[in-house]
Amino acid sequence: MILLTGSTGAVGLQTAKLLSSKGIRYRAMVRDVEKATAIGIENVEWVRGDFNDDKALRSALDGVERVFLLAPAVENLDQVESRFIEVAKSVGVQHIVNLSAVGAGLDVPHRFGVWHGRTEKLLLESGIGFTVIRPNFFMQNLLGMAEMVKGGGLYAPAGNGKAPFVDVRDIAAVAASCLTEPGHSGNTYEVSGPEALSYSEIAATFTRILGHDVNYIDIPLDVARESMLNLGMPKWLVDALNELNTGMKENRFAEVHDTVQRIGHITPTTLESFLLSHLTLFQ
């Protein structure tokens, strides 16, 4: 039995849909079973669970051999995942596929990377079989910039840095392979889109597709920070996102990998294809 966590989020939902489309029976842990059932996915057993409730975790993990570990983006992420790994080991889980993050490590200059790096270390030391997936920035993040694009601007504090943005559906294809195929244990997979792009190049792609000028405006970090705080985002998350923006500005996340094609067995989604599939959002 496979258990998916984070199965109503961006990557988790696409992984759930993909497993269902392949006719694979699995279990998905959610807080609200009734709400999840309304999504209408087949071949899934929805179960109530909470990362902060060991009893509920044990119930969700009963009889499970393989797990997709995708914890929520919270300030104590490493502690949440550590507790999950302990419970999973105690009930006999054999393999954990962990959704980590680009640039993860114990000594990196961004907190999401450090938190995921700690989880990766715990998995290595746990004795449980594991596969680590480190996705780059999501193409879906660009959907949140739709209003900017409609106004002719694309604002970000990333300078001329580049990153190979990746469609979450492509990440899901890699995750599904790691959950259902042999040969992935002990591996760490960097997952990227097919091309590293700067925001200037992304803006140029918008311009070409939409038929009107979209210009990239490189804003200072403090301006971006103030804007995010004004939107009601918590301070820790704002600072964490700006650390990632700085990483992009310094080209620390610019490397392109062939993991989507090699492990996910599909052709990676290009930015143009992605934007065309969501065109109405930007018009």
Side-chain angles (χ1 to χ4, degrees), residues 105-155:
L106 297 177
D107 300 312
V108 297
H110 55 286
R111 67 196 71 188
F112 274 125
V114 171
W115 293 337
H116 283 295
R118 290 171 182 167
T119 297
E120 290 183 16
K121 183 174 184 290
L122 285 170
L123 279 173
L124 180 64
E125 297 172 346
S126 70
I128 302 174
F130 70 90
T131 308
V132 171
I133 298 173
R134 293 177 179 168
N136 214 292
F137 297 152
F138 297 172
M139 285 184 181
Q140 278 71 8
N141 292 347
L142 299 173
L143 302 181
M145 298 181 169
E147 292 305 314
M148 294 184 195
V149 172
K150 290 176 184 178
L154 197 60
Y155 300 82

Side-chain angles (χ1 to χ4, degrees), residues 156-157 219-230 238 242 245:
I219 60 175
L221 283 171
D222 59 345
V223 173
R225 185 177 190 275
E226 188 67 23
S227 176
M228 287 187 282
L229 288 173
N230 287 339
V238 169
N242 262 349
N245 284 322

Side-chain angles (χ1 to χ4, degrees), residues 112-273:
F112 274 125
V114 171
W115 293 337
H116 283 295
R118 290 171 182 167
T119 297
E120 290 183 16
K121 183 174 184 290
L122 285 170
L123 279 173
L124 180 64
E125 297 172 346
S126 70
I128 302 174
F130 70 90
T131 308
V132 171
I133 298 173
R134 293 177 179 168
N136 214 292
F137 297 152
F138 297 172
M139 285 184 181
Q140 278 71 8
N141 292 347
L142 299 173
L143 302 181
M145 298 181 169
E147 292 305 314
M148 294 184 195
V149 172
K150 290 176 184 178
L154 197 60
Y155 300 82
N160 295 315
K162 296 187 177 186
F165 286 73
V166 58
D167 192 325
V168 298
R169 293 170 293 188
D170 295 351
I171 303 169
V174 174
S177 293
C178 293
L179 287 165
T180 60
E181 298 175 352
H184 299 293
S185 185
N187 293 335
T188 296
Y189 296 127
E190 307 283 349
V191 183
S192 77
E195 183 181 11
L197 298 167
S198 67
Y199 277 110
S200 290
E201 291 168 322
I202 293 171
T205 303
F206 272 117
T207 296
R208 184 173 65 255
I209 290 174
L210 296 173
H212 66 77
D213 286 343
V214 177
N215 298 300
Y216 169 52
I217 297 90
D218 178 25
I219 60 175
L221 283 171
D222 59 345
V223 173
R225 185 177 190 275
E226 188 67 23
S227 176
M228 287 187 282
L229 288 173
N230 287 339
L231 290 173
M233 296 172 62
K235 179 181 177 297
W236 74 267
L237 180 57
V238 169
D239 291 338
L241 292 175
N242 262 349
E243 289 164 4
L244 293 175
N245 284 322
T246 299
M248 180 174 173
K249 187 173 186 177
E250 296 173 352
N251 280 313
R252 285 192 267 115
F253 311 131
E255 189 171 354
V256 174
H257 300 270
D258 66 351
T259 308
V260 171
Q261 186 168 356
R262 182 167 53 88
I263 305 300
H265 313 302
I266 60 173
T267 301
T269 305
T270 64
L271 176 66
E272 183 168 349
S273 174

